[in-house]
Amino acid sequence: MNFVLLLVFLVTRDGIQQRKNCWQDGVLGTNCPIPPGWNWTYQFQVKDQIGSFFYFPSLGLQRAAGGYGGITVNNREVIAVPFGKPDGDITLFIGDWYTKNHTDLRKALDAGKDLGMPDGVLMNGKGPYRYNTTLVPDGIDYETINVEPGKTYRFRVHNVGTSTSLNFRIQNHNLLLVETEGTYTVQQNYTNLDIHVGQSYSFLVTMDQNASSDYYIVASARFVNESLWTRVTGVAVLHYSNSKSKASGPLPYPPNDFYDKTFSMNQARSIRMNVSAGAARPNPQGSFKYGSINVTEVYLLRNAPPLTINGKRRTTLNGISYSPPDTPLRLADKYDLKGVYTLDFPTKPLDTPHRLGASVINGTYKGFMEIIFQNNDTTVQTYHMDGYAFFVVGMDYGEWTEESRGTYNKWDGISRCTTQVFPGAWTAVLVSLDNVGFWNVRAENLDTWYLGQESYVRVVNPEDDSNKTELLMPNNVLYCGRLKNLQKDNQVPHGSQSSSSFVTYVGGMLLTAMLILVSSAIFP
Ligand SMILES: *[C@@H]1O[C@H](CO)[C@@H](O)[C@H](O)[C@H]1NC(C)=O
Ligand SMILES: *[C@@H]1O[C@H](CO)[C@@H](O)[C@H](O)[C@H]1NC(C)=O
Ligand SMILES: *[C@@H]1O[C@H](CO)[C@@H](O)[C@H](O)[C@H]1NC(C)=O
Ligand SMILES: *[C@@H]1O[C@H](CO)[C@@H](O)[C@H](O)[C@H]1NC(C)=O
Ligand SMILES: *[C@@H]1O[C@H](CO)[C@@H](O)[C@H](O)[C@H]1NC(C)=O
Ligand SMILES: *[C@@H]1O[C@H](CO)[C@@H](O)[C@H](O)[C@H]1NC(C)=O
Ligand SMILES: *[C@@H]1O[C@H](CO)[C@@H](O)[C@H](O)[C@H]1NC(C)=O
Ligand SMILES: *[C@@H]1O[C@H](CO)[C@@H](O)[C@H](O)[C@H]1NC(C)=O
Ligand SMILES: *[C@@H]1O[C@H](CO)[C@@H](O)[C@H](O)[C@H]1NC(C)=O
Ligand SMILES: *[C@@H]1O[C@H](CO)[C@@H](O)[C@H](O)[C@H]1NC(C)=O
Ligand SMILES: *[C@@H]1O[C@H](CO)[C@@H](O)[C@H](O)[C@H]1NC(C)=O
């Protein structure tokens, strides 16, 4: 698949594993930023993967300005899908939104401030339907999803927002969860589901209501004081072709659990893998028996609320705030440059002072790694790993201990690439390190990520000096940092920055260029 981008930044794709090919991953550890006015073509295979993913610009809060889109990878015809073919496929991007642009948001963070409350929740780049004349001003463009009565649609819902966990629901309709981030789930009905920043889900929704009116589609902020946040709720309209009137009345209620920490976690635990369904390959998803593999390395990654390092507000994992070197890590290895990064990421939190650094996790090729994310911050954080899907085997409140392993789900834990970690709680994941390269592990909440909560896992196959387990460096590689002299000026910057960006602002609201790449998983 060729992917031509006229962008002035890097683009990464949550969940697309870039097998053997971190050269195309589009984060600072693997790629130089694309200079303004230049173009760069990403080339990658979506191998052995099916499902719903999205791409977005990866640098400095640019996702807050848009530029994201869906990537849908379909099964090959010969592989059975564990549900009937839906009558339609609908992609919905939900996310919090600030009137301040991403450069101003960055300035706020640099000045040591919080981002504060967002100014809205957008659905497909559009504002809320006017469900309440006091709360929602007139004249806002809202999203309408047109459907036929009796039909079943696959809704692919992505939280592409900055930092807010959202509760997603459709008035009077069940959400039958079928897939998340490339894995078919045990199919279950939900009336609402919490979707945290960076997560993707597919639901089958049957239009089984009598079309006396349209219905609300709602995405509301989670774990916040509802009475303050109602004005930022995202509302779209589900319109039956035979609908008799507009949606009206109160929105469907969110879970009433402001003081109850268990509802959302139990819901998360209920999302499990359908072990008998085939995914990208004909063999069932459950045939990789992760529960019987011995763990070879354990990392307990503990965050902390933002703190001050060298006079700047930063966030940390195990006391280290990642500071990206100006030479990508992968290029440093390729050219044998020493001192770009250190391979000394601590396996557990240390009592040493917090510091900045480019400290990288030493992964072992073919190893089986256990990572426990311990959230000592006060808000939900989501953690993501590039290059892999991991098995989410446990989460609970309190401090993780060795005994916590007794509670792990060793059978049908969901395999995905982005997991939530509740405040004062931990989430444990298992990952099989079979993909060579440098792979970003990060907070998906953009403020936390920007302030330093990320690292990379380095996976090297010492026995491969050719291209068997890792593809060769692409011809169009860009150079920067200590290697910038290798860069040929082969591109004349053309146009201005704004003309080469596909993010368009219309009347203050943001339109997202939606690029849906539909392809078949490629089989070796
Ligand atoms: C699991 O997948 C199988 C095989 O495709 C399917 O028949 C079954 O209905 C699915 N079960 C659930 C609970 O999702
Ligand atoms: C962001 O907004 C500020 C004004 O608040 C403006 O000066 C700046 O140029 C804007 N940046 C971008 C990238 O649009
Ligand atoms: C609209 O919202 C306001 C403020 O929350 C509330 O007092 C009012 O009852 C709502 N109106 C309707 C028709 O629901
Ligand atoms: C989900 O709800 C629908 C009605 O909306 C029902 O037909 C279906 O049987 C339910 N499926 C499961 C697995 O509970
Ligand atoms: C169907 O719509 C009518 C109004 O057109 C309403 O009176 C009735 O309660 C609705 N039935 C159901 C099951 O929602
Ligand atoms: C929510 O905010 C309102 C208005 O500021 C306040 O009166 C109320 O006490 C808050 N509720 C909670 C649970 O914090
Ligand atoms: C896991 O380790 C145990 C004991 O350390 C050993 O007996 C067992 O064979 C190992 N299992 C695998 C799959 O390597
Ligand atoms: C990284 O791990 C490998 C084993 O996979 C080990 O041989 C090597 O010494 C480690 N490197 C460092 C710097 O710890
Ligand atoms: C953070 O860690 C401290 C010290 O272990 C503990 O007292 C506090 O309860 C923790 N807070 C959260 C939100 O985990
Ligand atoms: C991989 O290397 C082999 C020889 O080592 C070469 O023939 C082949 O073309 C290379 N493939 C790619 C994709 O570079
Ligand atoms: C991308 O840059 C090359 C020069 O390296 C140029 O020939 C090509 O036209 C550019 N493509 C687009 C779509 O602008």
Side-chain angles (χ1 to χ4, degrees):
M1 182 188 324
N2 277 5
F3 199 60
V4 183
L5 287 168
L6 294 160
L7 297 177
V8 295
F9 36 45
L10 289 179
V11 172
T12 189
R13 289 143 292 263
D14 262 13
I16 296 292
Q17 289 173 17
Q18 309 290 8
R19 306 286 310 169
K20 306 180 181 180
N21 201 2
C22 74
W23 299 110
Q24 309 287 340
D25 199 35
V27 286
L28 280 181
T30 57
N31 297 78
C32 294
I34 307 163
W38 291 37
N39 69 64
W40 202 70
T41 305
Y42 289 93
Q43 269 186 318
F44 57 93
Q45 263 193 343
V46 282
K47 199 174 157 194
D48 292 352
Q49 284 194 269
I50 49 89
S52 315
F53 310 98
F54 67 96
Y55 64 82
F56 65 92
S58 64
L59 302 184
L61 268 84
Q62 282 172 339
R63 188 170 80 211
Y68 46 78
I71 301 182
T72 294
V73 186
N74 292 324
N75 285 72
R76 290 183 302 140
E77 291 290 335
V78 297
I79 293 176
V81 175
F83 45 84
K85 192 172 164 48
D87 299 299
D89 205 298
I90 294 160
T91 297
L92 264 184
F93 299 105
I94 61 178
D96 58 358
W97 178 76
Y98 292 83
T99 20
K100 277 189 188 156
N101 62 30
H102 68 278
T103 49
D104 282 353
L105 291 176
R106 222 154 50 197
K107 274 190 207 141
L109 291 174
D110 288 338
K113 300 198 187 88
D114 280 327
L115 293 183
M117 206 168 127
D119 299 289
V121 168
L122 303 188
M123 296 177 99
N124 285 352
K126 295 179 186 171
Y129 170 72
R130 199 172 190 211
Y131 68 97
N132 178 314
T133 51
T134 322
L135 292 171
V136 184
D138 200 8
I140 291 183
D141 188 24
Y142 59 88
E143 180 71 343
T144 302
I145 306 294
N146 291 303
V147 294
E148 298 290 330
K151 299 218 156 138
T152 297
Y153 297 82
R154 181 170 183 173
F155 281 73
R156 300 176 194 260
V157 189
H158 309 272
N159 185 337
V160 295
T162 298
S163 206
T164 308
S165 296
L166 297 172
N167 181 265
F168 180 78
R169 52 200 187 271
I170 303 181
Q171 188 179 29
N172 288 13
H173 290 76
N174 270 328
L175 306 169
L176 182 67
L177 180 67
V178 292
E179 179 254 343
T180 179
E181 296 161 18
T183 301
Y184 291 122
T185 63
V186 168
Q187 294 174 19
Q188 289 179 85
N189 277 325
Y190 294 84
T191 50
N192 65 78
L193 193 85
D194 288 341
I195 305 183
H196 303 275
V197 177
Q199 292 188 319
S200 302
Y201 288 99
S202 291
F203 307 102
L204 295 184
V205 185
T206 301
M207 301 307 143
D208 55 5
Q209 298 299 301
N210 82 6
S212 50
S213 70
D214 290 348
Y215 297 90
Y216 296 123
I217 303 175
V218 181
S220 61
R222 211 52 179 100
F223 319 115
V224 294
N225 186 337
E226 277 291 323
S227 64
L228 293 172
W229 281 67
T230 38
R231 69 177 177 84
V232 302
T233 296
V235 184
V237 164
L238 183 74
H239 174 73
Y240 279 49
S241 59
N242 59 342
S243 167
K244 294 187 195 64
S245 66
K246 295 205 171 303
S248 62
L251 298 179
Y253 294 113
N256 179 17
D257 64 345
F258 191 74
Y259 296 106
D260 175 9
K261 298 192 291 185
T262 55
F263 176 85
S264 187
M265 187 181 279
N266 283 339
Q267 189 183 58
R269 288 176 177 140
S270 74
I271 298 166
R272 288 170 297 124
M273 169 169 68
N274 180 340
V275 291
S276 64
R281 286 168 173 272
N283 51 332
Q285 298 179 136
S287 48
F288 183 79
K289 303 244 180 309
Y290 69 87
S292 54
I293 302 173
N294 289 334
V295 166
T296 57
E297 48 224 293
V298 181
Y299 279 82
L300 174 58
L301 304 183
R302 185 188 176 87
N303 71 7
L307 40 84
T308 304
I309 304 178
N310 302 347
K312 289 243 188 272
R313 182 183 164 98
R314 303 289 302 182
T315 55
T316 58
L317 282 174
N318 286 1
I320 301 174
S321 189
Y322 188 79
S323 165
D326 53 10
T327 312
L329 314 175
R330 183 65 195 88
L331 278 176
D333 266 18
K334 170 80 186 170
Y335 287 90
D336 260 327
L337 300 182
K338 303 287 174 234
V340 170
Y341 65 90
T342 54
L343 203 55
D344 60 353
F345 200 92
T347 56
K348 50 180 192 294
L350 302 175
D351 283 334
T352 51
H354 297 289
R355 65 178 174 96
L356 296 175
S359 177
V360 169
I361 296 173
N362 185 13
T364 308
Y365 180 56
K366 300 252 160 123
F368 198 58
M369 187 182 275
E370 176 183 16
I371 305 176
I372 303 109
F373 297 101
Q374 180 82 50
N375 186 353
N376 195 239
D377 204 341
T378 53
T379 54
V380 180
Q381 300 290 326
T382 41
Y383 289 94
H384 172 90
M385 187 171 185
D386 281 355
Y388 290 98
F390 44 58
F391 295 93
V392 181
V393 293
M395 56 176 80
D396 207 348
Y397 285 98
E399 292 285 322
W400 181 88
T401 64
E402 306 263 327
E403 282 71 54
S404 307
R405 291 198 177 112
T407 68
Y408 283 6
N409 176 349
K410 298 212 153 186
W411 168 241
D412 61 359
I414 192 75
S415 168
R416 65 184 313 168
C417 56
T418 311
T419 186
Q420 66 270 59
V421 190
F422 293 94
W426 54 267
T427 298
V429 304
L430 297 176
V431 55
S432 173
L433 300 181
D434 58 356
N435 194 11
V436 171
F438 277 88
W439 302 107
N440 194 211
V441 176
R442 60 170 177 265
E444 280 285 289
N445 306 58
L446 293 185
D447 46 351
T448 316
W449 181 12
Y450 178 70
L451 293 176
Q453 234 176 69
E454 65 172 322
S455 182
Y456 286 81
V457 179
R458 176 180 184 263
V459 182
V460 170
N461 176 3
E463 279 158 24
D464 183 20
D465 50 10
S466 172
N467 58 16
K468 279 194 206 63
T469 45
E470 188 183 27
L471 298 185
L472 301 176
M473 186 173 78
N475 294 329
N476 63 347
V477 73
L478 296 175
Y479 295 96
C480 54
R482 282 163 62 181
L483 295 167
K484 67 173 184 296
N485 291 338
L486 296 177
Q487 181 63 44
K488 292 192 212 71
D489 265 338
N490 58 353
Q491 291 199 16
V492 185
H494 56 81
S496 68
Q497 262 182 248
S498 58
S499 73
S500 63
S501 162
F502 63 75
V503 181
T504 326
Y505 290 87
V506 176
M509 278 291 180
L510 189 115
L511 286 188
T512 309
M514 277 208 282
L515 172 59
I516 314 286
L517 301 171
V518 180
S519 113
S520 290
I522 296 155
F523 199 65

